[in-house]
Amino acid sequence: MDHGSLPIGVFDSGLGGLSVLRELVARLPGEDFLYLGDVARLPYGSKSHAAITRYALGCVDFLASRRIKALVIACNTATAMALPTLREKFPFPVYGVIEPAVARAAAATRVGKVLVLATPSTVRSEAYRREFNSRHPELKVEELACPLLVPLAEEGWFDHPLTVAVIKQYLAEVRERDYDVLVLGCTHYPFLESSFRQAVGEARVLVHSGPGVAVEVEAGLMLVQNRNRSGKAGRLRFFATDPLPQGQPIVQRWFGENVHFELVDL
Ligand code: DGL
């Protein structure tokens, strides 16, 4: 059977993963995607390893039951906690968002100092630190948990003086101030990019995972000759574990007014 026509599954704790889906669709416009936002259990960023692994398994069981040819964990927290478990359990390729962000950050830094902002669970897991240490031990890396940023993104305060102030307040805690690359280590943060830009100035490079993941997925599909060859524009289907308010700002930002989320009970 031709697996190429199957969709690619994408999931996040909520809607931040849409920043990754956007890059995937731009790079792979002929592919079908199923997006699942586990909004009922958001945020993952303050939960334990055991809980996040359980939630992630539930999300991927759902997507796998719909038949997918590959999975993208569009959430740093779930990648940090559950990537090995998901790779072990499921037969399709599983892509996380941490490896591509680390690769981009390492390529971008000139001074060898990188700051990673992420959820408390991601920082606690030390997944970024381990990935940097194993691939780029020469780099100096500092990580900082920013628990207030996910609610600001979900609220749609993308470009807002208060968001800029919150980011600046977090950055005041950084020990090494002369980093030149800032990793947005949570898929909600790209929505706040203009606030980040105002907080850190023009000179620093902002890195997020989306573009790198899209390149990896494309390369993976080519390797096993698993591209969708129908020649048609791909279809997107959206699922959520709790109803979304009408006009949710994150959804509207890049996917417009008419996106319909089907409710799933995991
Ligand atoms: N989008 C998730 C991430 O990339 C975090 C949101 C949450 O805390 O659930 O880490």
Side-chain angles (χ1 to χ4, degrees):
M1 125 152 236
D2 173 22
H3 286 282
S5 59
L6 293 178
I8 297 168
V10 181
F11 88 97
D12 178 36
S13 58
L15 302 170
L18 293 175
S19 68
V20 177
L21 181 64
R22 175 177 180 249
E23 306 287 346
L24 288 164
V25 172
R27 184 124 205 138
L28 300 162
E31 299 293 338
D32 294 344
F33 290 94
L34 303 181
Y35 180 89
L36 171 63
D38 191 9
V39 289
R41 298 184 287 202
L42 179 90
Y44 284 11
S46 55
K47 310 250 162 47
S48 68
H49 189 287
I52 294 164
T53 305
R54 195 168 66 244
Y55 298 165
L57 282 168
C59 289
V60 186
D61 275 335
F62 167 76
L63 291 168
S65 74
R66 303 253 155 178
R67 308 202 56 225
I68 54 175
K69 63 182 176 185
L71 174 81
V72 177
I73 312 172
C75 174
N76 288 264
T77 312
T79 301
M81 300 291 181
L83 179 70
T85 309
L86 296 177
R87 281 194 173 147
E88 207 171 290
K89 173 158 185 211
F90 294 96
F92 37 74
V94 176
Y95 298 89
V97 281
I98 292 181
E99 289 164 20
V102 166
R104 292 223 152 193
T109 182
R110 296 283 161 263
V111 300
K113 289 184 186 169
V114 175
L115 175 65
V116 180
L117 301 186
T119 66
S121 302
T122 300
V123 171
R124 225 179 26 246
S125 75
E126 301 196 336
Y128 267 98
R129 187 172 299 283
R130 276 198 309 276
E131 185 66 20
F132 272 111
N133 281 349
S134 76
R135 297 196 191 256
H136 305 282
E138 72 288 0
L139 300 182
K140 211 161 184 180
V141 179
E142 185 167 345
E143 294 176 273
L144 191 67
C146 304
L148 292 175
L149 297 185
V150 168
L152 288 167
E154 294 268 332
E155 204 52 46
W157 291 21
F158 304 140
D159 184 0
H160 193 287
L162 249 169
T163 306
V164 178
V166 170
I167 294 170
K168 281 188 172 161
Q169 185 67 37
Y170 282 130
L171 293 176
E173 295 169 28
V174 174
R175 286 187 303 274
E176 292 276 349
R177 299 289 169 93
D178 50 350
Y179 59 91
D180 62 347
V181 171
L182 178 65
V183 176
L184 307 184
C186 168
T187 54
H188 281 75
Y189 298 174
F191 291 92
L192 308 177
E193 185 159 348
S194 58
S195 291
F196 274 106
R197 188 46 80 204
Q198 290 168 64
V200 298
E202 291 301 323
R204 289 178 170 121
V205 180
L206 300 179
V207 165
H208 63 101
S209 321
V213 183
V215 171
E216 269 192 16
V217 174
E218 181 182 41
L221 293 180
M222 303 243 279
L223 195 67
V224 293
Q225 301 194 343
N226 219 2
R227 296 289 299 265
N228 188 333
R229 279 182 280 274
S230 72
K232 294 196 286 251
R235 181 161 178 243
L236 306 182
R237 281 184 77 182
F238 297 88
F239 301 90
T241 51
D242 213 26
L244 297 177
Q246 196 62 37
Q248 210 295 338
I250 288 198
V251 178
Q252 288 207 350
R253 176 69 181 253
W254 286 322
F255 289 89
E257 305 272 334
N258 297 322
V259 176
H260 169 65
F261 274 79
E262 298 166 51
L263 191 60
V264 293
D265 186 10
L266 296 184

